[in-house]
Amino acid sequence: MAKRKLKEHHIQREWCKGCGICVAFCPKQVLEMDACDKAVAVRLEDCIACEMCALRCPDLAIRVDVEKA
Amino acid sequence: MAVKDYLRERFFPHMWCPGCGHGTVLNGLVHAIEKLGMSKNEIVMVSGIGCSSRISGYVDFHTMHTLHGRALAFATGIKLSKPELNVIVPMGDGDALAIGGNHFIHAARRNIAMTALVMNNRIYGMTGGQYSPLSGYGTIATTAPYTNIDQGFDVAALSMAAGATFVARTTVYHVHEVADLIQQAILHDGFSVVEVLSQCPTYFGRHNRLGGPVEMLQWFKDNTTRIGSKAAAENPELIQRGIFMQADKPEYCTEYDKIVEQAMAAAKA
Ligand SMILES: Cc1ncc(C[n+]2csc(CCOP(=O)(O)OP(=O)(O)O)c2C)c(N)n1
Ligand code: SF4
Ligand code: SF4
Ligand code: SF4
Ligand SMILES: [Mg+2]
């Protein structure tokens, strides 16, 4: 199977409530909390586009667009 | 349709607390609908009262926000008058099994085709953390500061005994399972129950010193296992996830139509 490739990782800041779930469970430690307690993607080059952050976010604040093979 | 097209984005950010598992249930649900490729007009969501029940405000289906514990009664009326619609009834543990317990067992017994989604955070979130019939023995709640001595229900066992024909359980940690089980439940022609263990960090988590939302999700990961797994055999304490029951039994609306036909024929004769 072809590897999934990230097209865009989008975090809607106004919807993020800073729960930390996406940061804690990202398998590649791509995400961090910033000084305002909002999630930000700091190591996008490591992102495997698994979409777990988008699916688990209780605030539906994350969208992961995957490159079409 | 994209996932966001099923949402009423104008009401976001939603009202749930930071890290509330109910948001992840909403997330899994809209993904399930998107995978099924259903149109918004084919779905009716009927809810009662509770933090969980507020979910009906955020989805762009036909929605109805009714009375505490009574969502299944309203849903029964809707389904009987328009059986072609897919009826989804999200409920809190208190909504479904305390005040709504009787509606729950009788809807299951009739095997009327609808999806009961039990968003089980083991507490009355909306009203300030009182214990529910799902809190379980030994837990702490606002109304049980010296520990709760009530035993909890097993939602899956109760649903099966009452007559539900599709019964499943998962947790908000296992988001793929949430979406998958909801899809199967919607497609099932009969009364389906999907119990999703969800975290209320504000009350259940705080009272029971379970840490924040991250620790509570980790708990779901560490304390559950797939039905029939090796881990389940080795450790009976683990909560089992998966499909407990999937059976074919006469569905209520279909049977009702037959009675109407018989009555019409008798009237003509
Ligand atoms: C007839 C009636 N009785 C009591 C209440 C108060 N009440 C509102 S929500 C609720 C319980 C909510 O708990 P649950 O169903 O578990 O939902 P959660 O908030 O935990 O998601 C209660 C007792 C009410 N609104 N109506
Ligand atoms: S899971 Fe969602 S709400 Fe929580 S920190 Fe991440 S983006 Fe923000
Ligand atoms: S898509 Fe997967 S790898 Fe990428 S940030 Fe989200 S959880 Fe991490
Ligand atoms: S009180 Fe509990 S159930 Fe209600 S929104 Fe807050 S975390 Fe969720
Ligand atoms: Mg509850």
Side-chain angles (χ1 to χ4, degrees), chain B residues 2-70:
Chain B
V3 161
K4 72 174 188 38
D5 296 328
Y6 292 105
L7 297 173
R8 292 178 181 148
E9 291 193 283
R10 62 186 183 283
F11 297 136
F12 280 69
H14 59 50
M15 54 74 72
W16 292 310
C17 301
C20 173
H22 293 349
T24 308
V25 177
L26 168 64
N27 200 335
L29 175 94
V30 286
H31 275 89
I33 302 294
E34 190 256 342
K35 286 218 182 86
L36 288 171
M38 282 184 170
S39 95
K40 298 193 263 189
N41 286 334
E42 296 174 78
I43 307 164
V44 195
M45 182 178 278
V46 187
S47 67
I49 300 295
C51 294
S52 37
S53 296
R54 293 289 294 263
I55 192 172
S56 62
Y58 299 117
V59 289
D60 205 21
F61 316 141
H62 300 291
T63 59
M64 197 155 142
H65 199 173
T66 71
L67 305 175
H68 192 34
R70 272 61 179 146

Side-chain angles (χ1 to χ4, degrees), chain A residues 12 14-21 24-25 50-60 63, chain B residues 7 9 12-14 16 18-20 23-24 26-27 30-31 173 175-176 199 213-214 217-218:
Chain A
Q12 194 150 341
E14 321 81 73
W15 290 10
C16 170
K17 295 194 188 121
C19 69
I21 287 174
F25 296 105
C50 67
E51 291 187 74
M52 292 313 293
C53 53
L55 284 167
R56 284 211 186 93
C57 173
D59 287 86
L60 292 88
R63 199 188 70 231
Chain B
L7 297 173
E9 291 193 283
F12 280 69
H14 59 50
W16 292 310
C20 173
T24 308
L26 168 64
N27 200 335
V30 286
H31 275 89
Y173 175 83
V175 270
H176 285 299
Q199 75 276 8
V214 168
L217 275 193
Q218 187 66 42

